[in-house]
Amino acid sequence: MELVQMQKSLQDYTKSLFLDGVLDSQFLQLQQLQDESNPDFVSQVVTLFFQDSDRILNDLSLSLDQQVVDFKKVDPHVHQLKGSSSSIGAQRVKNACVVFRSFCEQQNVEGCHRCLQQVKQEYYLVKNRLETLFKLEQQIVASGGMIPAMELGF
Amino acid sequence: MADVMRPEKLDMSNDTSSLGSPELLHVLAVDDSIVDRKFIERLLRVSSCKVTVVDSATRALQYLGLDGNHSSVGFEDLKINLIMTDYSMPGMTGYELMKKIKESSAFREIPVVIMSSENILPRIDRCLEEGAEDFLLKPVKLADVKRLRDSLLKADEMAFKNIMHKRELQANDIYSQLKRAKI
């Protein structure tokens, strides 16, 4: 594929993530912090997010599987995930966490289980999308091209 | 014979070390989230700040020598211009950390900024009342850091101007005294 075509694909793909609400403007903040001196900043932060989230989701599953659910343990985990997803712009994950927290507040075990499924779904979605995005970027860089700056006019 | 005013009596110390040139603010950032630590560190570096990041209030106190395990020896030279801390942290909160900092004679003048993902007005009020320089809603943006930095540098500039004005007054005072002594 031609370089220009790849760059256009990347832009279209990124744009679709914003239009679908998978990412929000905070992701643009991340991109703004990336430059020649720190060319992998976004992927580094996102990788940390994946590692951290995997850990948190695991802990959440364990906590909710207990005979007696300790909501004092569950809520901080959700709060953490809400925070980190918000920091990278993973909007749908963040929103799912907000709903999750309200069920924690109500001490609704059934509701929390449903929320966990929802959070996991959104998380795997954004993970998948971002991994695709990074692959597209790598292809462009490997072909000697530059990653086009994101245009905000949409 | 007139009594010559020796320099050491004049307290004209050259200590403008809080300004340094170029304006490199040293920020201590405290956050228990690994993602946020990476993010805030980069935000601050991009804003031309020197950054030290720790993952808990306890570690922040250790860094400042306020954890009771040290005498104050060795920490007087520690130049921190700003402390940015997350509010919700396990163990000690950012609010409690700030109170400890404000209790210390060495560090109470350092501006403390609290960051939180939760927009809870009573919390914000409490932090500001306790002396927080500012309260930032997470996720923190580049513009927030720039605004902070600009206002701190402006405050430094004001302090600098006050020092210079004071020196001018002192110099005028000495000159008058010398004149009266008819030197």
Side-chain angles (χ1 to χ4, degrees):
Chain A
M1 207 195 278
E2 252 196 69
L3 187 59
V4 173
Q5 243 181 297
M6 283 197 276
Q7 287 168 328
K8 176 98 190 3
S9 292
L10 174 64
Q11 275 195 310
D12 289 344
Y13 190 72
T14 312
K15 202 189 268 195
S16 74
L17 296 182
F18 285 103
L19 291 174
D20 289 345
V22 174
L23 294 177
D24 65 26
S25 60
Q26 186 62 17
F27 190 76
L28 295 173
Q29 286 279 316
L30 283 191
Q31 290 184 318
Q32 270 193 289
L33 296 175
Q34 183 162 287
D35 60 21
E36 309 81 45
S37 71
N38 246 267
D40 299 316
F41 176 69
V42 180
S43 68
Q44 282 171 359
V45 183
V46 169
T47 303
L48 280 176
F49 170 68
F50 291 158
Q51 289 167 349
D52 200 43
S53 302
D54 287 338
R55 176 186 62 82
I56 293 173
L57 288 171
N58 196 43
D59 288 344
L60 275 172
S61 297
L62 286 173
S63 296
L64 284 179
D65 276 343
Q66 298 302 306
Q67 282 274 36
V68 180
V69 175
D70 185 356
F71 288 99
K72 284 211 203 67
K73 279 216 178 93
V74 175
D75 186 69
H77 284 318
V78 184
H79 174 77
Q80 260 192 300
L81 185 56
K82 184 191 129 209
S84 56
S85 58
S86 163
S87 292
I88 68 148
Q91 186 174 244
R92 299 211 318 217
V93 177
K94 179 194 72 177
N95 290 342
C97 288
V98 172
V99 178
F100 198 154
R101 286 194 88 192
S102 68
F103 279 105
C104 282
E105 222 176 304
Q106 295 165 34
Q107 310 226 339
N108 183 334
V109 178
E110 177 63 43
C112 282
H113 269 113
R114 283 199 306 269
C115 282
L116 179 59
Q117 290 322 303
Q118 186 65 23
V119 169
K120 278 183 173 171
Q121 206 173 302
E122 296 298 352
Y123 169 67
Y124 292 130
L125 182 85
V126 74
K127 185 166 189 207
N128 179 277
R129 299 282 188 266
L130 285 174
E131 281 171 347
T132 303
L133 191 141
F134 292 140
K135 273 209 187 74
L136 286 173
E137 285 186 347
Q138 279 160 15
Q139 282 169 0
I140 289 173
V141 170
S143 303
M146 297 255 297
I147 312 293
M150 192 60 213
E151 278 149 49
L152 301 178
F154 60 86
Chain B
M1 190 70 156
D3 196 8
V4 178
M5 291 283 272
R6 283 195 306 247
E8 39 290 12
K9 285 191 184 178
L10 303 179
D11 191 32
M12 306 258 280
S13 60
N14 255 316
D15 184 15
T16 53
S17 51
S18 65
L19 299 171
S21 85
E23 312 285 13
L24 211 61
L25 292 180
H26 182 188
V27 185
L28 174 64
V30 192
D31 202 313
D32 63 312
S33 158
I34 192 169
V35 172
D36 287 351
R37 280 201 299 280
K38 176 97 178 156
F39 180 61
I40 197 87
E41 183 186 36
R42 182 70 187 146
L43 257 187
L44 291 167
R45 289 244 163 87
V46 158
S47 308
S48 309
C49 296
K50 178 179 167 197
V51 193
T52 301
V53 196
V54 295
D55 64 3
S56 70
T58 311
R59 286 227 211 278
L61 291 174
Q62 278 170 3
Y63 183 77
L64 297 170
L66 294 178
D67 59 339
N69 285 337
H70 309 264
S71 68
S72 58
V73 174
F75 290 94
E76 321 91 14
D77 293 329
L78 190 63
K79 284 279 185 283
I80 305 273
N81 303 108
L82 171 66
I83 297 170
M84 291 182 77
T85 177
D86 188 25
Y87 183 92
S88 309
M89 296 187 290
M92 195 187 298
T93 67
Y95 175 72
E96 288 158 355
L97 172 62
M98 177 177 63
K99 288 215 288 194
K100 285 226 152 61
I101 290 167
K102 294 299 176 194
E103 279 163 20
S104 89
S105 51
F107 298 107
R108 70 164 60 104
E109 295 304 316
I110 299 179
V112 180
V113 169
I114 310 240
M115 306 176 282
S116 174
S117 58
E118 295 172 300
N119 194 358
I120 299 173
L121 280 178
R123 173 185 289 183
I124 299 175
D125 283 339
R126 209 179 340 125
C127 288
L128 294 175
E129 269 161 36
E130 199 60 41
E133 174 80 15
D134 205 343
F135 189 100
L136 296 178
L137 277 181
K138 282 178 159 187
V140 178
K141 309 230 178 326
L142 206 52
D144 294 326
V145 173
K146 185 175 187 301
R147 189 171 45 85
L148 244 186
R149 192 173 168 270
D150 287 348
S151 89
L152 286 179
L153 289 176
K154 191 155 182 225
D156 257 1
E157 201 192 302
M158 283 306 297
F160 182 67
K161 283 189 175 147
N162 286 339
I163 291 170
M164 293 313 287
H165 182 59
K166 194 173 162 193
R167 286 188 194 178
E168 214 187 302
L169 290 176
Q170 284 174 334
N172 287 341
D173 191 39
I174 290 157
Y175 181 68
S176 313
Q177 289 190 35
L178 289 172
K179 266 187 91 175
R180 279 197 295 276
K182 292 199 170 72
I183 291 171

